[in-house]
Amino acid sequence: MTTHLKRHLLAFLPFISLLVTLTVTAVEPPKGFPEPLNTKNFKEELSKGLHIIDFYSPYCPHCKHLAPVWMETWEEFKDEGKKLNITFSQVNCIESADLCSDENIAFFPDVRLYNPSGYLKSFTERLKTKESLIAFARKESMDPDNLDIDLGSVLSQSQHLEGFDFIKLIAGKADRPYLVSFWPTKNLKDSDDSVNFENCDKCHEFQRTWKIVSRQLISEDIKTGHVNCESNPTLCEELGFSDLVKITNHRGDREPKVALVLPNKTSNNLIDYPKGFSVKSKDYVDFARRTFANSKFPNITREDLITVNRRIDFLKEKGPSYNNDIHLVFSYDPETVVTEDFDILEYLIEPLSKIPNIYLHQIDKNLIDLSHDILESMYEKINYNTSEAQKNFNEEYFTMNTVTQLPTFFLFRDGDYVSHVYPGYSTTEMRNIKEIMRWVQKYSNPLATEITSSNLREWMSFQTESYSNLAIQLVSTGSDKQIKGSNTLIRKLLLASFDYEHVRMEDNFEQINDKRTNKADSIKLLKEKKAPADKVVDKMREEIPHIDNNKLLLGYLDVSKERNFFRRFGIIGDHKVGDVIIIDKSNNFYYTKDNFGNTLTSNEPLLLREAFVSLNIPSKALYSSKMKGRLMNSPFHNAFSFLDIVHQNGIYGYLCIIILIIMILKSLSLYKKYKIRKHYRSKRNAVGILGNAEKKKNQD
Ligand SMILES: *[C@@H]1O[C@H](CO)[C@@H](O)[C@H](O)[C@H]1NC(C)=O
Ligand SMILES: *[C@@H]1O[C@H](CO)[C@@H](O)[C@H](O)[C@H]1NC(C)=O
Ligand SMILES: *[C@@H]1O[C@H](CO)[C@@H](O)[C@H](O)[C@H]1NC(C)=O
Ligand SMILES: *[C@@H]1O[C@H](CO)[C@@H](O)[C@H](O)[C@H]1NC(C)=O
């Protein structure tokens, strides 16, 4: 059946392509639209900045389809492109066949990114639209890896290390930190060498990354080195990189590995780069810089932390550093601390290296009053609406949540008014690395985190028992002006979330108080009933569980970079900068409209807060919840619930359901008939066979 269909389609293919060719008529190029580049001017043109180049043939149907899109894109982007130093260009591969063969063009149209030193990457999105091309241009123009243009003339700073050199480093002979890469070859002396890597598709690209990393780390006083695994098989196997020693399959999926050696230490000094393989130099530079910094447990001052809640510009206009760091502070009393108390810090370096953005510090002070003051200042912020009842700081709840002794850990996040205290009641808790890390993990999300197509699933499953919803602010970073506006949007989202946080804390407080009252009541009851003493004591010992759920996870999505996000996750409708999407992490329902059916946006922080409350703590909501969710990727493109159909369509809804039920029953009865038929048929067959056998027997 399907092959039949395919054959039919194939027969029509020439007609379809003819149709496409006929409908795509030549479009007049806009004024000033440049001639295609050619062999003569290609190199010179490239030297002027970044280029996105469409390698095409005037005869290929897809190229003809792309042509008007390309012109429009060029026209719309040319001014912005001048600012960003990136140009849309073309090469006609029929006229400049040599050039295209030099550039290894294998199909048309091939859209690629170049910088002055040559090919960088291909544009791989299937749909080549004006929007997707411009999004690509913006994203790539901001990527420091592409901007680093004079690479051709600079040498890699990475040192070639033999196995024994590396062993010396981990034996404590390193006086500087070393970031070391491991390669599936024995021929890489200089890390720039042109080497034939086997089964490692990414190796060549990674050489470029490594050169940039080696140069950027010079200013951090971090050295770089590289090891040939095929020449040092035992070492690489010991390190767990045995796939770099020999080829075990026929795929090209071997990837270089990276690890950091910390200086002047003989133990806990080798830290693997924890994330999956990446070709972004920034990832390795950040990892090395942050892990080295953490390994020194630097002092931090109270003054540094006082401003933490004011660091709210999550999107920086230029450069890679965001203000969404997390600060883990070891706080001790210099009078009572003992040297062993500091040992725990050593064991934190490695697990912390796996969490992006987290910085470790120490301070010889108790930070409880700082935590208190910062949280108290939140109330100035959320009492912005004079027609609402005054919201008050709850001293009792704060005290309940900050019971600890020193030393302990405090955790502050940039932009956050709420800080966290590790319940370090005694040395038992303070020396339990697992418990400490479990506690850190719970707050290891930056206050507002960038959501992308590739990390959405990860954040959806982040600490599900504490965080029930993910609220995503749509932002855009196409220009400085948009970045400014987007920072304002994130600030409004934060305002709504702090306002919600107050409701959430009050609700938690009430729940805990209810439990306390219940406990007191049952103890009283036991005593009255003259229950045995051990029963009463057991009840008294019973701990009231710490309640800290219904939290919000906050994120922002850059729509100028993430064109396919909504389609990919089946979030339907139009979504624009300023809108907020709330996703229920427990069931993948998402919400784009508030209680009144208006689009959720951070421009109305009060309504946004109400949406948060309605979804998580309905008993505290001002309006009864009429919020309608849709299931992500639902084929029904609507709420996946019969009740909802009825709710929206009244009597017709019931009709729909009845028809649906009839259809189901019908298909069931068809199935039953089919089964009966099948049953009889098999009987007949069996009889037939037996019959034959019978006959045969009789004949014998
Ligand atoms: C654009 O890039 C080129 C090539 O690297 C460089 O020489 C030029 O200064 C850049 N122009 C601007 C405006 O940044
Ligand atoms: C490691 O020790 C050496 C010698 O004691 C010293 O010169 C160097 O600064 C130390 N390096 C670091 C990063 O502490
Ligand atoms: C950190 O602070 C402590 C206590 O104030 C002080 O003794 C120590 O020298 C400081 N360390 C550094 C590296 O500044
Ligand atoms: C203030 O609160 C009132 C009542 O809840 C509401 O109607 C009004 O829109 C709010 N104003 C602002 C600026 O949020």
Side-chain angles (χ1 to χ4, degrees):
M1 178 77 171
T2 44
T3 49
H4 208 66
L5 203 70
K6 265 192 211 147
R7 216 176 301 138
H8 270 290
L9 277 179
L10 280 179
F12 275 110
L13 213 57
F15 295 105
I16 293 173
S17 59
L18 185 70
L19 227 99
V20 169
T21 327
L22 284 177
T23 46
V24 182
T25 48
V27 182
E28 269 305 294
K31 219 173 112 232
F33 186 72
E35 287 293 312
L37 306 179
N38 56 45
T39 318
K40 273 196 206 117
N41 65 10
F42 188 68
K43 279 265 144 53
E44 191 203 328
E45 192 56 40
L46 285 197
S47 72
K48 293 180 186 160
L50 288 176
H51 285 77
I52 296 173
I53 305 179
D54 165 30
F55 291 89
Y56 73 99
S57 147
Y59 306 113
C60 95
H62 283 106
C63 301
K64 287 181 188 166
H65 219 71
L66 181 61
V69 175
W70 196 266
M71 286 175 194
E72 242 184 277
T73 309
W74 176 86
E75 169 93 28
E76 181 165 326
F77 192 69
K78 64 181 192 299
D79 293 334
E80 190 181 338
K82 276 201 192 102
K83 281 189 220 135
L84 298 177
N85 214 356
I86 184 163
T87 317
F88 282 99
S89 310
Q90 288 179 299
V91 170
N92 179 335
C93 284
I94 302 300
E95 283 174 2
S96 311
D98 290 351
L99 177 56
C100 293
S101 123
D102 286 350
E103 294 301 321
N104 297 317
I105 304 298
F107 57 88
F108 306 126
D110 192 357
V111 176
R112 299 169 150 206
L113 176 72
Y114 280 76
N115 75 6
S117 40
Y119 167 75
L120 288 174
K121 63 180 77 162
S122 296
F123 176 79
T124 49
E125 262 182 66
R126 206 171 44 81
L127 283 175
K128 296 180 177 65
T129 61
K130 185 177 80 187
E131 288 73 24
S132 65
L133 285 164
I134 289 180
F136 180 67
R138 283 182 184 142
K139 184 166 162 231
E140 296 302 333
S141 70
M142 305 275 180
D143 187 338
D145 285 7
N146 298 334
L147 298 181
D148 204 334
I149 19 214
D150 48 352
L151 276 182
S153 57
V154 205
L155 301 177
S156 164
Q157 303 294 317
S158 178
Q159 231 173 295
H160 176 233
L161 301 173
E162 285 298 346
F164 56 85
D165 298 323
F166 183 76
I167 288 167
K168 266 200 234 159
L169 292 181
I170 52 177
K173 290 282 188 316
D175 61 348
R176 294 277 164 265
Y178 268 80
L179 189 69
V180 183
S181 55
F182 298 83
W183 301 76
T185 179
K186 49 169 150 327
N187 300 323
L188 198 66
K189 294 288 178 283
D190 190 310
S191 79
D192 286 339
D193 285 348
S194 175
V195 166
N196 223 345
F197 297 101
E198 280 180 82
N199 287 24
C200 180
D201 295 345
K202 293 278 170 62
C203 273
H204 284 294
E205 200 178 350
F206 192 67
Q207 280 186 289
R208 191 189 138 73
T209 307
W210 195 245
K211 176 164 22 188
I212 300 172
V213 170
S214 74
R215 291 180 53 214
Q216 289 186 347
L217 285 180
I218 293 176
S219 56
E220 307 283 335
D221 212 10
I222 298 174
K223 295 194 172 178
T224 43
H226 54 277
V227 171
N228 286 312
C229 274
E230 287 181 7
S231 318
N232 300 283
T234 326
L235 171 71
C236 289
E237 271 167 4
E238 280 290 314
L239 293 171
F241 307 152
S242 48
D243 65 321
L244 301 181
V245 177
K246 52 183 175 289
I247 296 171
T248 51
N249 64 37
H250 296 292
R251 296 191 295 266
D253 60 359
R254 298 204 291 176
E255 290 159 347
K257 303 286 191 299
V258 173
L260 179 71
V261 184
L262 294 169
N264 292 346
K265 287 168 66 155
T266 51
S267 61
N268 296 324
N269 62 352
L270 179 67
I271 316 242
D272 285 347
Y273 175 73
K275 289 202 287 174
F277 178 75
S278 153
V279 289
K280 295 260 170 238
S281 63
K282 180 178 171 288
D283 289 344
Y284 299 95
V285 171
D286 282 355
F287 160 71
R289 180 197 286 147
R290 194 172 57 83
T291 306
F292 177 45
N294 285 350
S295 75
K296 293 185 287 190
F297 327 126
N299 282 341
I300 195 165
T301 62
R302 225 174 159 273
E303 287 65 43
D304 272 338
L305 291 168
I306 283 175
T307 59
V308 77
N309 59 313
R310 276 173 253 153
R311 299 175 198 165
I312 42 179
D313 283 340
F314 282 81
L315 306 165
K316 276 275 167 66
E317 295 186 18
K318 280 274 148 56
S321 72
Y322 298 127
N323 250 353
N324 46 10
D325 292 339
I326 304 165
H327 313 275
L328 179 64
V329 187
F330 177 73
S331 149
Y332 63 93
D333 177 352
E335 301 289 316
T336 57
V337 76
V338 293
T339 352
E340 291 77 36
D341 289 337
F342 291 92
D343 290 350
I344 192 73
L345 299 179
E346 197 77 19
Y347 295 97
L348 280 172
I349 304 170
E350 198 263 337
L352 290 184
S353 77
K354 299 191 170 89
I355 305 174
N357 304 37
I358 200 159
Y359 289 85
L360 179 62
H361 310 272
Q362 54 176 312
I363 193 167
D364 58 352
K365 291 183 178 61
N366 192 340
L367 296 175
I368 293 275
D369 33 327
L370 180 72
S371 280
H372 180 281
D373 292 354
I374 294 179
L375 183 58
E376 202 170 24
S377 64
M378 181 178 93
Y379 284 82
E380 288 157 29
K381 191 118 195 142
I382 61 177
N383 277 312
Y384 65 99
N385 185 340
T386 42
S387 30
E388 285 204 305
Q390 172 93 12
K391 300 151 197 166
N392 294 316
F393 180 80
N394 186 331
E395 292 282 352
E396 203 182 335
Y397 183 69
F398 178 80
T399 311
M400 234 157 66
N401 275 319
T402 50
V403 179
T404 184
Q405 286 183 356
L406 290 192
T408 191
F409 287 98
F410 284 80
L411 188 142
F412 297 85
R413 293 187 291 190
D414 282 350
D416 203 352
Y417 287 92
V418 184
S419 50
H420 305 277
V421 186
Y422 178 68
Y425 307 122
S426 69
T427 47
T428 320
E429 287 84 22
M430 277 309 284
R431 295 191 183 161
N432 186 339
I433 185 81
K434 258 195 175 153
E435 265 316 304
I436 294 173
M437 278 315 296
R438 194 173 306 154
W439 174 81
V440 171
Q441 289 287 356
K442 201 162 145 192
Y443 308 108
S444 62
N445 56 312
L447 181 59
T449 189
E450 179 162 10
I451 301 292
T452 63
S453 306
S454 38
N455 73 13
L456 177 72
R457 299 222 180 279
E458 191 187 318
W459 287 112
M460 289 283 286
S461 55
F462 177 81
Q463 301 282 328
T464 349
E465 60 292 346
S466 311
Y467 297 84
S468 36
N469 297 127
L470 168 64
I472 306 177
Q473 172 71 58
L474 305 193
V475 301
S476 171
T477 59
S479 65
D480 286 357
K481 203 175 146 211
Q482 287 178 344
I483 291 176
K484 229 181 188 154
S486 294
N487 269 326
T488 309
L489 290 171
I490 295 177
R491 258 173 252 166
K492 287 183 174 172
L493 172 77
L494 295 182
L495 176 61
S497 81
F498 291 131
D499 209 0
Y500 166 74
E501 182 65 15
H502 165 72
V503 180
R504 190 188 72 88
M505 291 194 296
E506 287 301 306
D507 183 60
N508 281 348
F509 181 66
E510 281 172 25
Q511 284 186 51
I512 294 169
N513 266 348
D514 283 353
K515 291 218 164 76
R516 272 188 184 166
T517 319
N518 284 346
K519 182 174 158 179
D521 286 352
S522 38
I523 292 172
K524 212 168 121 202
L525 201 72
L526 283 176
K527 281 185 178 159
E528 277 169 13
K529 278 204 211 145
K530 302 232 166 2
D534 55 334
K535 269 207 169 152
V536 179
V537 172
D538 277 354
K539 189 75 205 169
M540 284 165 87
R541 282 224 184 103
E542 216 170 73
E543 250 183 77
I544 292 175
H546 189 71
I547 300 173
D548 193 19
N549 52 6
N550 285 331
K551 284 172 182 293
L552 272 182
L553 197 59
L554 303 176
Y556 56 88
L557 178 85
D558 187 345
V559 294
S560 58
K561 287 196 249 164
E562 289 281 341
R563 294 275 159 187
N564 290 328
F565 185 88
F566 304 110
R567 195 172 338 125
R568 171 149 177 214
F569 294 103
I571 296 174
I572 61 161
D574 282 332
H575 306 285
K576 54 184 191 309
V577 173
D579 292 358
V580 173
I581 297 174
I582 308 176
I583 306 178
D584 187 329
K585 288 169 72 233
S586 62
N587 58 15
N588 286 13
F589 266 74
Y590 68 93
Y591 299 82
T592 56
K593 301 254 165 48
D594 69 9
N595 284 288
F596 305 102
N598 304 316
T599 302
L600 282 169
T601 122
S602 50
N603 289 319
E604 298 275 5
L606 182 103
L607 292 179
L608 194 55
R609 177 203 72 199
E610 276 314 300
F612 295 149
V613 179
S614 303
L615 288 174
N616 295 316
I617 314 168
S619 61
K620 292 271 189 295
L622 294 184
Y623 319 106
S624 69
S625 178
K626 294 199 196 77
M627 283 177 71
K628 280 214 192 64
R630 294 166 191 272
L631 187 59
M632 276 161 75
N633 279 327
S634 163
F636 297 96
H637 282 194
N638 210 326
F640 191 66
S641 101
F642 289 147
L643 286 180
D644 210 68
I645 295 175
V646 175
H647 186 99
Q648 282 181 349
N649 305 308
I651 188 75
Y652 293 108
Y654 284 111
L655 259 172
C656 280
I657 292 179
I658 291 167
I659 292 171
L660 204 68
I661 292 172
I662 292 174
M663 276 162 66
I664 292 172
L665 287 177
K666 261 202 135 145
S667 61
L668 276 180
S669 73
L670 274 180
Y671 178 69
K672 214 166 156 192
K673 273 186 195 157
Y674 165 76
K675 264 191 89 171
I676 293 170
R677 258 206 316 267
K678 199 172 166 197
H679 179 77
Y680 277 108
R681 208 185 301 147
S682 61
K683 263 243 164 81
R684 212 164 45 219
N685 286 348
V687 168
I689 292 166
L690 279 182
N692 283 342
E694 212 84 14
K695 260 187 203 158
K696 262 199 172 150
K697 228 189 219 161
N698 292 344
Q699 277 170 5
D700 287 347

